Amino acid sequence: MTKIIDTVYSKLAKMSASDQKIAQVILEQPEKVVNFTISELAKLAEVSDASVTRFCHNLGLIGFHDLKIKLAQDNTESVSLQNMSKNDVLASLNLIEKNKIDEIKATLENVTEDKLEQVLNLLIDSRIVQVSAEGDTYPVAADAVYKLNQIGILAVDSGGTIETAIAQTMNMGKQDCLLVISNSGEAVGIIKQIKVAKQKGMRVIAITNRDDSPIALLADVHLKTAVRQTVMQSQYYFSR
C-alpha cells in the first residue's frame, strides 16, 4: 500500500500554490502534524481551514482526520533536505542516506512479483530494447542501455534527442519493446514516442512516479517509483 507521504511527494509538483504550502508543512514535520488540529496546520501553512480540507480531498482522503490517521500508520519521521548545511557535511549525508533508503523501500513495496516477471520477460524476449528518457533523466536511460548490453540484451538509446528516439522507434516492430523513464510521467516527447511505438506494435514499459500519469496510463506495464524531496531544484533532483 502506498504511504500517504509518498502520495504527497508524487503530486507536489502539480499542486496549487495553497496545497503546496500545506504539503511543505506536512513533509517537514509529519510526526507533529499527527497531533495538530486543522486550524494549527492551516495557521502554519498560512491558509484557511477550508484549504486544508480541500487538500485532503485532493489526495483522495475523507478529511483531515483521515490524513492524520494515515500519517500515524506510516510512522513517518521528518527528513528535510532543506536543512542540509555545508557546515555539517556528515549530517547532510545522513539526511540524503535516509531519504534514499525510504525511496527504495517505498518503490519495492509498489512492485509485485507478477509485474516484475512481466517486465523481465518483455526485456528478455525482445529483439531490441529501446530505452528512452528526456532531460536530467537521460543519463539513467544511457546507464540502463549499457547494463542491459552487458548481460546480453541488445538495447539502444537515442543519445538524448527525442526526435532521434522517435525515428528509431519508427524502424522497430512488434518483436521489440520500448522502456521509458520519466519522473513526472508527463514528458510530451516521450508520450509522442509511445504512441508511435504502439502503432508499430511494440510493447511499452514505463517507469514513473505516478500511476495516474499520462505515460503510465499509455504503457502496457508500469513500474511506480517513490520519490523524496527536491534539493536546490523545483524538480526531483534524484532520478531513477
Side-chain angles (χ1 to χ4, degrees):
M1 181 181 295
T2 301
K3 292 184 178 181
I4 190 62
I5 209 74
D6 293 316
T7 301
V8 174
Y9 274 121
S10 68
K11 294 181 179 292
L12 187 60
K14 295 298 178 181
M15 286 181 181
S16 65
S18 176
D19 279 3
Q20 285 190 1
K21 288 181 179 180
I22 300 167
Q24 289 299 340
V25 173
I26 293 171
L27 295 177
E28 287 173 7
Q29 44 188 322
E31 72 282 5
K32 293 183 180 179
V33 174
V34 171
N35 298 311
F36 280 178
T37 64
I38 190 170
S39 296
E40 287 172 332
L41 176 56
K43 184 178 180 180
L44 272 178
E46 299 180 341
V47 299
S48 66
D49 290 8
S51 294
V52 174
T53 300
R54 281 194 297 272
F55 171 84
C56 296
H57 291 166
N58 290 338
L59 293 179
L61 304 175
I62 298 171
F64 181 58
H65 185 64
D66 194 16
L67 171 66
K68 295 205 298 179
I69 289 174
K70 285 186 165 45
L71 285 172
Q73 288 173 339
D74 290 351
N75 193 27
T76 306
E77 297 178 356
S78 172
V79 185
S80 177
L81 294 184
Q82 304 302 324
N83 296 326
M84 289 200 307
S85 169
K86 66 180 181 181
N87 297 320
D88 194 343
V89 176
L90 184 58
S92 297
L93 289 175
N94 287 335
L95 283 175
I96 293 172
E97 177 190 30
K98 177 66 167 60
N99 272 274
K100 297 312 293 180
I101 290 172
D102 286 346
E103 276 189 354
I104 292 169
K105 285 182 177 178
T107 295
L108 293 179
E109 287 173 359
N110 289 325
V111 181
T112 64
E113 187 174 348
D114 287 345
K115 182 173 286 189
L116 189 57
E117 270 194 35
Q118 191 177 0
V119 170
L120 293 176
N121 288 333
L122 276 174
L123 295 176
I124 293 168
D125 296 339
S126 294
R127 180 180 66 104
I128 299 174
V129 176
Q130 185 185 18
V131 188
S132 193
E134 288 188 303
D136 291 344
T137 307
Y138 171 70
V140 183
D143 184 58
V145 167
Y146 175 73
K147 288 175 178 171
L148 286 171
N149 279 292
Q150 277 190 314
I151 61 173
I153 296 175
L154 180 58
V156 298
D157 68 85
S158 67
T161 306
I162 192 62
E163 290 80 8
T164 302
I166 292 173
Q168 288 176 338
T169 303
M170 293 177 70
N171 287 288
M172 295 185 182
K174 61 183 180 180
Q175 69 272 46
D176 307 310
C177 81
L178 173 63
L179 168 62
V180 297
I181 309 169
S182 171
N183 287 324
S184 68
E186 297 182 352
V188 176
I190 298 294
I191 292 173
K192 183 178 179 181
Q193 184 182 7
I194 291 174
K195 291 178 179 178
V196 173
K198 291 284 191 177
Q199 291 171 358
K200 304 298 291 187
M202 297 173 68
R203 299 295 297 279
V204 179
I205 304 166
I207 302 175
T208 80
N209 294 332
R210 290 170 42 211
D211 285 324
D212 61 349
S213 65
I215 289 175
L217 295 174
L218 283 170
D220 295 295
V221 188
H222 175 239
L223 295 177
K224 180 183 175 183
T225 48
V227 67
R228 283 294 183 257
Q229 277 183 300
T230 59
V231 181
M232 299 178 287
Q233 290 189 9
S234 60
Q235 299 299 315
Y236 304 119
Y237 183 75
F238 300 116
S239 195
R240 303 295 61 128

